[in-house]
Amino acid sequence: MSRHRQYRTWGIILLLVIILISPGLNRTNAANESFDPDRAIAHIVALSDGIGIREAGTPNEGRAAVYVASQFVAMGLDTRVQALPAYYIYSQNVIAVKAGLDPEAGVIYIGAHYDSVQWGPGANDNASGTAVLLEAARLLANETFSPTLTFIAFGSEEIGLGGSSYFTIHLPPLERYVARGMINLDCVGWGTAQAIGYADDSADPLVQKAVDNATALNIPVELERVSNSDHAPFSWVKIPAILLYSYTPDAQDCGPNYHQATDTADTVDPVAMERVAQILLATVRDLADDPPERKIKTLWLPLLH
């Protein structure tokens, strides 16, 4: 590791230690509250305008990790940082856990990436997803569930799904098996319609739950096979995983500012974000009450004599 990377790593660690040892830091009480668009927009402004371009492996990505970690800590969530190598750089995932009542009830993963491309501040891609992740965590942190909820802000998504790939590769086999599902948020702040993406048929039971909940909310959704976001590595290890995103029919995915310097906070639509948040929250609660059936494949080996 170069001296520059060492300084950057220790600087991030020092900031996180200060955050994590501060007891009761701005604890929130979200009981009986609903999704707050103003809070979500404030997160987007802090990440895309305040910190700016958050290219994987840069000090700004580290600053964004500290920001996200501080928000999780303020909610009273058990928060840690998972350092990771991604190609030629070092990055980090920020992981916050709300322990469930039943240790055997499995885990629900909710994630979004907080890094951006090197030439844009990434308000929609993907400060918007991170903002909805933080709002969902704030609301769900004060509810009671049998399964554990694990919120993950992924680093280095823009360079080959670095953070989510590292996370899933290092999940023990038993944790993969007991996982109830994963819901990913990406490009949720632009568009007139909502979509549910999936990488393969391992997601089928979770797709159906999300569709049913969107229908109950009177929010039409389209289904798309998508593999270029952080739900895909979960599907690769056979955890049911979906992507929630916003779009406009016959327009470029993620909108006209996708991967551009113009992807700024003033172009993000809080209405689109709220629709996604409603589907997310309803699906998480449903998934917590009623785990999906998982396909079990058994390998029979001949007996040895």
Side-chain angles (χ1 to χ4, degrees):
M1 183 187 299
S2 70
R3 187 176 299 274
H4 170 76
R5 286 177 179 168
Q6 287 177 330
Y7 288 155
R8 172 179 173 274
T9 300
W10 283 111
I12 292 170
I13 290 172
L14 177 61
L15 287 171
L16 287 170
V17 167
I18 293 171
I19 290 168
L20 299 179
I21 66 175
S22 300
L25 174 66
N26 297 322
R27 300 288 185 195
T28 61
N29 183 3
N32 301 318
E33 290 190 33
S34 57
F35 179 83
D36 187 340
D38 292 336
R39 285 179 182 265
I41 292 295
H43 291 314
I44 293 172
V45 170
L47 290 167
S48 63
D49 293 1
I51 296 174
I53 294 172
R54 304 173 304 285
E55 182 185 2
T58 64
N60 271 7
E61 192 200 34
R63 293 184 186 104
V66 171
Y67 175 83
V68 172
S70 70
Q71 300 301 311
F72 283 143
V73 170
M75 300 167 197
L77 296 171
D78 183 6
T79 304
R80 67 184 176 91
V81 173
Q82 180 184 47
L84 61 100
Y87 297 96
Y88 54 90
I89 58 92
Y90 289 87
S91 182
Q92 56 280 311
N93 295 325
V94 183
I95 303 167
V97 176
K98 174 183 170 54
L101 297 177
D102 183 356
E104 298 181 357
V107 181
I108 299 172
Y109 297 99
I110 309 163
H113 76 90
Y114 65 91
D115 63 314
S116 73
V117 293
Q118 62 181 332
W119 48 83
N124 186 37
D125 182 25
N126 185 40
S128 68
T130 305
V132 172
L133 174 71
L134 290 171
E135 260 299 275
R138 183 180 71 88
L139 298 172
L140 296 171
N142 290 288
E143 299 183 26
T144 301
F145 300 97
S146 292
T148 291
L149 304 186
T150 298
F151 305 93
I152 314 172
F154 296 109
S156 61
E157 188 267 357
E158 297 288 2
I159 56 169
L161 313 181
S164 54
S165 295
Y166 186 89
F167 181 85
T168 54
I169 288 170
H170 289 84
L171 267 183
L174 180 59
E175 291 188 35
R176 297 180 187 180
Y177 178 72
V178 300
R180 292 199 177 191
M182 187 273 179
I183 303 174
N184 179 36
L185 308 160
D186 202 349
C187 286
V188 301
W190 181 90
T192 60
Q194 311 310 131
I196 298 172
Y198 61 97
D200 58 42
D201 63 3
S202 67
D204 287 351
L206 184 51
V207 169
Q208 190 58 56
K209 278 190 176 295
V211 169
D212 290 346
N213 282 287
T215 301
L217 291 163
N218 199 29
I219 302 175
V221 291
E222 293 291 330
L223 302 183
E224 295 287 343
R225 198 175 184 99
V226 181
S227 299
N228 62 344
S229 192
D230 287 314
H231 63 294
F234 287 80
S235 290
W236 298 339
V237 296
K238 301 308 176 185
I239 294 173
I242 60 172
L243 164 68
L244 300 182
Y245 65 100
S246 302
Y247 76 106
T248 294
D250 302 320
Q252 179 181 353
D253 286 347
C254 293
N257 301 302
Y258 177 59
H259 285 186
Q260 303 295 321
T262 51
D263 186 8
T264 51
D266 59 304
T267 67
V268 173
D269 179 10
V271 175
M273 295 167 61
E274 187 164 11
R275 288 196 299 263
V276 169
Q278 288 177 326
I279 299 171
L280 168 68
L281 292 168
T283 304
V284 168
R285 290 163 180 151
D286 186 8
L287 192 58
D289 291 337
D290 181 26
E293 292 186 8
R294 299 279 295 273
K295 296 178 181 179
I296 302 175
K297 295 182 179 179
T298 304
L299 177 64
W300 292 97
L301 298 175
L303 294 176
L304 299 178
H305 296 286

